[in-house]
Amino acid sequence: MQFSAFTRAGNVLTLDVRSEIRAARYKAICKDMDQAVNELGRVRLVLVMRHYPSFNSAEDFYDDLRFLRIYDHAIDKVAVVCDRFWKDTWVGIFSLFSGIRMDFFEMTQVDEVTRWIQSD
């Protein structure tokens, strides 16, 4: 099954974020997460943050990714892929509050993302 907010390969769901996650998209993400968790149990996420203009503060990051807190019981790990490596600190802060294993990767690190998200 293909989830509308995500692309899927096994238990790895990828979400491409190019702008602020507004209410309608947030609702679709939660609906798709419900379906994925019901079907798969636990999932791994790759969040690709491309040219994300409102990604200017830790608060924006946390607000747009708040769905991770709702589903943290069903998420094994999250790879955040972004244009700039300086967002690493925010990923670390978010993972402290969510309890989810997270790591940050630059856009050029496709092989590293794949290895990390698939590893135990």
Side-chain angles (χ1 to χ4, degrees), residues 93-108:
I93 290 169
F94 189 90
S95 65
L96 285 175
F97 293 107
S98 70
I100 300 171
R101 249 186 326 168
M102 297 181 84
D103 206 348
F104 181 89
F105 301 88
E106 292 186 40
M107 291 291 186
T108 59

Side-chain angles (χ1 to χ4, degrees), residues 21 23 26 61-70 94:
I21 298 176
Y26 183 80
F61 179 76
Y62 188 84
D63 189 50
D64 279 354
L65 301 183
R66 68 192 181 278
F67 71 91
L68 296 175
R69 296 276 301 137
I70 296 169
F94 189 90

Side-chain angles (χ1 to χ4, degrees), residues 1 14 23 25 28 31 33 35 44-45 50-51 55-56 61 69 71 76-77 81-83 86 94 100 105-106 109 116:
M1 171 186 265
T14 301
R25 186 161 190 215
K31 179 182 174 198
M33 284 297 296
Q35 288 177 323
R44 295 172 180 209
L45 301 178
R50 294 182 200 273
H51 313 293
F55 198 33
N56 294 320
F61 179 76
R69 296 276 301 137
Y71 297 98
D76 285 330
K77 57 168 78 172
V81 183
C82 191
D83 292 333
W86 52 270
F94 189 90
I100 300 171
F105 301 88
E106 292 186 40
Q109 296 179 294
W116 186 82

